Amino acid sequence: MRIFKSRSVRAMTAVLAVGLIATGCSSERGKDGDKGAGDTFVFGAPGDPSSLDPALASDGETFRVTRQAFEALLEHESGGSKLVGGLAEKWSSDPAGKVWTFNLRKGVKFHDGEAFNAAAVCANYDHWFNWKGTYQSSSVSYYWQSIMGGFKANEDKEAPKANYKSCTAKDENTAVIEVNEPSANLPGGFSLQALAIHSPKAIKEYEKQGASAKGDAITYPKYSQEAGTVAGTGPYKITKWNKGNKEVSLERFDDYWGEKAKVKKLVFRTISTEDGRRQALQANDIQGYDLVAPADIKTLENAGFEVPTRDVFNIFYLGMSQEKNPALKKPAVRQAIAHAIDRENLVKTQLPEGGKVATQFMPDTVAGYSENAKKYAFDTAKAKSLLASAKESSLSVEFCYPTEVTRPYMPAPQDIFELIKADLEKAGIKVTPKPMKWAPDYLDATEAGSCALHMLGWTGDFNDGYNFIGTWFAGYDKQWGFKDAKVFDAVKVASLEPDPAKRTELYKKANETIMDYLPGVPLSSSPPAIAFGKNINPPKVSPLTQENFAELSFK
């Protein structure tokens, strides 16, 4: 999952992140006023959502909330990454991958009472396609642009050419979506929360309001910041956003088409520190939280808490900016850095059980992973030899690392930085540390290519290789600062292949090409843990961090 892509997205996050502090007492209580009784479940989230309209978001904390209320045409199987029917029971495409037909579920209602049908699907896709003004900023419509390209009338010169062509309601229960070119982002993109389906009645209200921008700061439309207008088809409906208490409240939707939620009310409460979330769980002020510190897992389990671990579906890497430090343009220098890092030790000491050393820029759980990609084993002597051959035995490099953050792939940034720094120094590389606040400083700097070395990662949105390697290597990116047609072409050729089996083989070749070039160093993949109270039957945990809270119940 992408948290930030463009500079404007990152700048916007600075505005949103101001409020990410530990919260006080909740305004919500369970049955009879106790904490966490059988009708209210409170979850401690690491950050605030940015919007109640998932189409305007690109961050996991927004999607964690909206996923309970909105559904897309396709979904992922509970606890897995396999695509299954969502609002569409069945789907198919023509051989060219340009015409997608969706056979929709019958008897589905939106939270506002409107009926779900093919016309509703097309109303949503045409609504996004016709966005104008600030909505065309990549900070607002990142996922639409990533999956469907630009708009009917592009105003932003940086917006990509539209790939979306049309949506047709063939009949009440059949929607046909056409695109101009085949894309590796489909059908996976149809499962994204950012492309979840809203009530057409709600969309008409949305269109009466607008987003605006002043510099890089975005002002979201009123409806997206207050409960009451947004309406999906999910098992819960959003009823309140108390920004003072940093809480979003949802109630069970009793007219839901599928299995009804087992708990009547959900509350997502922001508690920005991991210690704060753990302590709140132990005190039963909350009944669940995410991004459990590896050191806390056994402690919580031994105390009787439920701490399921997700399957691996992320990648953590050391990025290199060749334009920031010209020495990094030399292949031998990049190879030396790769050989200098003891990734086995990093995984053993910093990641939860089940963490793996990464050998390429996607985990081995993603189709397209190659067993033949070149590997760079830990070897300090070889690193020194490569630096000498490149006439860089006295190499100095600035190394940026983030503060005030915990990510699923990076549980303790400073500790990880210190380990890598020590390894590089053993190989004779002088490291200048540069700690930076995560948002917006670190994210702005890494995107701009201002950090010679830096640490970042990615959790996949769906199981397709392009969702990983296409994120970084489909073309020139300032984060890496290199131009290599062989790498870019390998990724592009794979992305345009409509046949999934052939595309997977092309991804393998692309991974091999990328690791031959070595633009950075894949470090690890990790299984992030999520914790629940002693009295909770947890939902199935998702490798994509897409938990369905309607599945959970009180014991």
Side-chain angles (χ1 to χ4, degrees):
M1 176 176 303
R2 185 186 297 266
I3 303 300
F4 310 101
K5 169 61 176 173
S6 68
R7 189 178 189 281
S8 55
V9 176
R10 296 176 179 179
M12 172 188 66
T13 303
V15 177
L16 297 174
V18 171
L20 302 189
I21 58 176
T23 63
C25 297
S26 168
S27 63
E28 296 282 350
R29 293 298 187 194
K31 189 175 181 180
D32 299 324
D34 59 337
K35 297 179 287 185
D39 67 349
T40 301
F41 173 86
V42 185
F43 188 85
D48 295 334
S50 61
S51 167
L52 299 183
D53 180 352
L56 307 181
S58 61
D59 63 287
E61 295 312 319
T62 292
F63 297 150
R64 191 198 304 277
V65 174
T66 63
R67 182 167 287 109
Q68 316 310 319
F70 293 93
E71 297 173 304
L73 290 171
L74 307 183
E75 301 288 346
H76 291 97
E77 65 180 351
S78 179
S81 60
K82 179 182 177 182
L83 281 176
V84 296
L87 289 175
E89 288 185 303
K90 299 178 181 179
W91 71 98
S92 61
S93 74
D94 69 335
K98 295 182 181 183
V99 181
W100 294 86
T101 301
F102 299 91
N103 302 110
L104 308 178
R105 295 189 186 277
K106 300 176 182 178
V108 177
K109 289 185 179 181
F110 289 99
H111 298 152
D112 59 6
E114 294 289 297
F116 167 75
N117 52 34
V121 172
C122 292
N124 278 263
Y125 276 80
D126 288 342
H127 166 65
W128 300 320
F129 185 49
N130 284 283
W131 265 340
K132 298 178 181 178
T134 302
Y135 288 109
Q136 292 197 7
S137 167
S138 60
S139 63
V140 178
S141 55
Y142 165 70
Y143 270 114
W144 172 263
Q145 294 188 49
S146 295
I147 303 302
M148 291 295 180
F151 307 93
K152 185 175 183 179
N154 277 352
E155 299 169 15
D156 185 347
K157 293 181 180 179
E158 296 183 0
K161 181 182 178 181
N163 195 34
Y164 175 80
K165 184 177 181 180
S166 66
C167 179
T168 304
K170 187 176 179 180
D171 57 46
E172 187 174 1
N173 299 303
T174 308
V176 178
I177 295 175
E178 295 189 49
V179 294
N180 293 308
E181 298 292 341
S183 171
N185 283 321
L186 301 176
F190 294 123
S191 72
L192 291 180
Q193 182 62 193
L195 299 186
I197 304 301
H198 299 241
S199 161
K201 182 179 177 181
I203 289 175
K204 289 180 181 178
E205 292 300 315
Y206 299 173
E207 291 175 344
K208 295 177 183 179
Q209 302 177 29
S212 62
K214 186 175 182 180
D216 284 332
I218 302 295
T219 299
Y220 286 102
K222 184 179 179 181
Y223 81 84
S224 73
Q225 304 298 301
E226 298 177 358
T229 302
V230 294
T233 60
Y236 286 96
K237 54 185 177 182
I238 301 171
T239 56
K240 188 176 183 180
W241 189 357
N242 187 326
K243 292 190 176 183
N245 281 356
K246 294 186 171 297
E247 292 181 351
V248 180
S249 301
L250 301 89
E251 293 185 4
R252 181 170 57 213
F253 179 45
D254 290 330
D255 286 333
Y256 182 58
W257 61 267
E259 185 176 350
K260 307 297 187 289
K262 297 177 175 64
V263 174
K264 183 177 180 181
K265 296 181 181 180
L266 298 180
V267 177
F268 292 92
R269 184 191 308 167
T270 300
I271 305 175
S272 62
T273 67
E274 194 283 328
D275 282 344
R277 296 192 296 277
R278 173 179 49 78
Q279 292 166 6
L281 180 74
Q282 291 169 328
N284 198 32
D285 287 331
I286 63 175
Q287 290 75 55
Y289 78 94
D290 204 353
L291 305 184
V292 181
D296 290 336
I297 293 175
K298 290 297 182 184
T299 300
L300 290 171
E301 287 179 335
N302 291 340
F305 293 95
E306 301 279 351
V307 193
T309 299
R310 301 178 177 102
D311 290 339
V312 172
F313 207 71
N314 58 38
I315 197 78
F316 175 47
Y317 63 85
L318 179 74
M320 303 181 189
S321 173
Q322 295 184 23
E323 292 180 352
K324 176 66 175 179
N325 190 324
L328 297 173
K329 294 180 182 292
K330 300 179 181 180
V333 170
R334 301 196 301 275
Q335 293 166 15
I337 291 172
H339 284 296
I341 300 172
D342 187 350
R343 288 174 283 179
E344 291 279 1
N345 182 55
L346 186 155
V347 168
K348 182 179 179 180
T349 62
Q350 298 300 315
L351 299 185
E353 186 176 345
K356 301 178 182 180
V357 169
T359 64
Q360 52 211 274
F361 285 89
M362 65 170 65
D364 60 9
T365 51
V366 176
Y369 179 90
S370 173
E371 296 291 348
N372 298 320
K374 186 174 181 178
K375 298 176 177 62
Y376 300 84
F378 172 53
D379 189 332
T380 303
K382 187 169 185 177
K384 289 181 177 180
S385 176
L386 284 164
L387 290 171
S389 70
K391 297 183 170 54
E392 295 288 354
S393 294
S394 299
L395 177 65
S396 295
V397 63
E398 184 178 71
F399 191 163
C400 304
Y401 68 92
T403 62
E404 301 180 41
V405 71
T406 299
R407 302 305 307 142
Y409 48 78
M410 183 172 58
Q414 183 168 353
D415 293 344
I416 294 172
F417 162 78
E418 294 293 350
L419 283 179
I420 298 175
K421 174 177 177 290
D423 286 343
L424 295 177
E425 289 177 338
K426 288 176 186 176
I429 299 172
K430 181 180 178 181
V431 174
T432 301
K434 189 173 183 180
M436 304 176 75
K437 184 179 178 181
W438 172 251
D441 302 354
Y442 185 74
L443 293 166
D444 280 348
T446 55
E447 179 179 292
S450 300
C451 293
L453 298 183
H454 64 275
M455 306 184 303
L456 274 177
W458 175 266
T459 298
D461 293 307
F462 48 83
N463 196 340
D464 188 275
Y466 191 77
N467 192 242
F468 284 86
I469 58 177
T471 298
W472 305 295
F473 308 126
Y476 173 77
D477 188 327
K478 287 183 180 179
Q479 178 185 169
W480 310 93
F482 77 92
K483 297 178 181 179
D484 186 90
K486 191 174 181 180
V487 170
F488 300 159
D489 289 348
V491 175
K492 183 177 180 180
V493 167
S495 74
L496 295 174
E497 173 54 59
D499 182 85
K502 293 180 180 178
R503 189 163 68 236
T504 294
E505 293 305 311
L506 290 171
Y507 285 147
K508 291 179 181 179
K509 293 180 180 178
N511 275 317
E512 293 159 16
T513 300
I514 292 166
M515 292 310 296
D516 284 344
Y517 181 83
L518 196 67
V521 184
L523 297 172
S524 60
S525 295
S526 60
I530 183 171
F532 294 92
K534 301 175 185 179
N535 60 337
I536 299 297
N537 295 308
K540 291 182 180 179
V541 295
S542 163
L544 302 121
T545 66
Q546 294 180 3
E547 284 75 30
N548 177 5
F549 282 39
E551 296 176 350
L552 67 81
S553 63
F554 284 86
K555 293 180 179 178

